[in-house]
């Protein structure tokens, strides 16, 4: 089954998914064994691989190392059009629809399109919506865009609706890696009620309780990066919290 089909099937069944974000620059190859072992044991649904900035040419090595050790789908989460690799299974083709930077709305996509067209990667278009997480994040600085204020739920809802109407297959509500304030349950609730497509939520989620709150509010996929980098043993607890939400 394709990655997108499995996301749709899970959404229809009311099942929630857990994605671990791996920044190839920050994960040490010697730590991948433990990470993958814990992820496979906890039945983690996806790995997202990428970062706003990759400076060590580490993407291919990282993907290869994970691929050799497990069958959890690997999805590129690119911070730029150079972060492409055939070693992944799919790619979130992110359009930063909360911003007004034409390069990140369509420019980088034009550059990546011929590569993606001939690649075996499953391309999944994604309306990427940056929400103010209370700190200046790398993604906000690098994208040269202003996040949507955390309390402006109506703007987030209209942005997500526009993304869906433009044909995007996913919405990603992003507070930014290491956000002090994750996206609020209220915003997740309203956005998830407004759109039919699967909703991904990430940024600053560092406890099983917060992950649970997010899926209960309507997130279909919860993404955790930083907290797992600091303590990989959180994987099991967060996975259990997310998967504990029973199908409705
Ligand atoms: C960032 O949403 C992801 O793109 C994950 O954020 O690293 O804060 O978990 P954290």
């Amino acid at each position: 089954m394709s990655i997108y089909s499995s996301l749709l099937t899970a959404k229809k069944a009311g099942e929630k998914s857990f994605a671990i974000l791996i920044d190839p620059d920050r994960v040490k190859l010697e730590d991948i064994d433990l990470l993958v072992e814990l992820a496979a044991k906890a039945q983690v649904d996806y790995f997202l691989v990428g970062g706003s900035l990759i400076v060590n040419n580490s993407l291919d090595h990282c993907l290869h190392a994970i691929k050799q050790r497990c069958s959890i789908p690997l999805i590129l989460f690119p911070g730029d059009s150079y972060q492409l690799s055939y070693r992944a299974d799919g790619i979130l083709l992110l359009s930063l629809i909360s911003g007004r930077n034409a390069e990140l709305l369509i420019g980088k996509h034009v550059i990546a399109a011929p590569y993606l067209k001939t690649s075996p990667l499953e391309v999944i278009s994604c309306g990427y919506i940056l929400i103010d997480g209370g700190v200046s994040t790398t993604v906000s600085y690098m994208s040269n865009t202003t996040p949507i204020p955390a309390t402006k739920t109506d703007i987030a809802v209209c942005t997500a609706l526009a993304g869906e109407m433009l044909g995007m297959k996913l919405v990603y509500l992003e507070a930014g890696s290491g956000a002090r304030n994750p996206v609020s349950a209220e915003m997740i609730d309203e956005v998830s009620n407004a759109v039919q497509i699967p909703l991904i939520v990430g940024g600053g989620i560092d406890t099983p309780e917060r992950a649970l709150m997010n899926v209960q509010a309507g997130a279909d996929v919860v993404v955790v990066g930083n907290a797992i980098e600091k303590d990989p043993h959180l994987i099991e607890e967060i996975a259990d919290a997310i998967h504990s939400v029973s199908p409705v």
Side-chain angles (χ1 to χ4, degrees):
M1 196 190 299
S2 72
I3 294 166
Y4 192 60
S5 300
S6 59
L7 284 164
L8 288 180
T9 304
K11 183 169 178 69
K12 205 167 162 197
E15 290 166 4
K16 307 297 184 176
S17 303
F18 178 24
I20 293 180
L21 173 65
I22 295 185
D23 182 334
D25 261 2
R26 286 168 47 163
V27 67
K28 295 193 198 94
L29 283 181
E30 59 266 30
D31 294 339
I32 284 183
D33 271 331
L34 175 66
L35 189 72
V36 171
E37 187 192 322
L38 292 171
K41 196 166 153 230
Q43 297 183 304
V44 167
D45 300 278
Y46 305 101
F47 280 117
L48 296 188
V49 184
S52 290
L53 196 61
I54 298 183
V55 292
N56 285 329
N57 197 20
S58 48
L59 182 63
D60 266 338
H61 291 301
C62 177
L63 290 166
H64 183 60
I66 300 172
K67 197 90 201 158
Q68 278 186 319
R69 291 165 172 79
C70 71
S71 57
I72 298 171
L74 286 171
I75 306 174
L76 295 174
F77 178 61
D80 207 322
S81 46
Y82 67 85
Q83 291 178 25
L84 300 171
S85 171
Y86 279 21
R87 292 192 188 272
D89 301 299
I91 178 168
L92 293 187
L93 189 63
L94 303 167
S95 184
L96 185 56
I97 57 177
S98 56
R100 300 297 178 266
N101 177 341
E103 282 304 304
L104 300 178
L105 283 163
I106 182 66
K108 302 280 186 187
H109 314 68
V110 174
I111 293 165
Y115 176 97
L116 295 175
K117 180 73 180 167
T118 54
S119 85
L121 294 168
E122 180 183 344
V123 180
I124 309 170
S125 61
C126 179
Y128 192 48
I129 302 178
L130 192 55
I131 309 296
D132 193 335
V135 284
S136 172
T137 56
T138 308
V139 59
S140 179
Y141 179 81
M142 293 301 289
S143 67
N144 198 18
T145 68
T146 309
I148 295 175
T151 54
K152 302 290 183 190
T153 298
D154 51 347
I155 301 179
V157 166
C158 295
T159 306
L161 276 174
E164 183 177 52
M165 289 170 185
L166 282 165
M168 289 164 187
K169 292 180 174 170
L170 297 171
V171 168
Y172 192 138
L173 285 179
E174 168 74 274
S177 195
R180 186 185 304 141
N181 309 321
V183 179
S184 70
E186 184 200 342
M187 188 177 276
I188 295 170
D189 177 46
E190 296 209 19
V191 170
S192 69
N193 282 323
V195 297
Q196 308 294 311
I197 50 179
L199 175 63
I200 305 177
V201 178
I205 299 166
D206 56 5
T207 61
E209 292 75 21
R210 171 62 74 165
L212 178 63
M213 188 198 295
N214 286 0
V215 287
Q216 285 174 334
D220 296 297
V221 182
V222 167
V223 182
V224 181
N226 262 298
I228 286 168
E229 264 173 37
K230 285 185 199 138
D231 179 10
H233 294 281
L234 267 179
I235 291 173
E236 188 176 356
E237 284 176 67
I238 295 179
D240 285 351
I242 291 169
H243 294 146
S244 73
V245 173
S246 311
V248 281

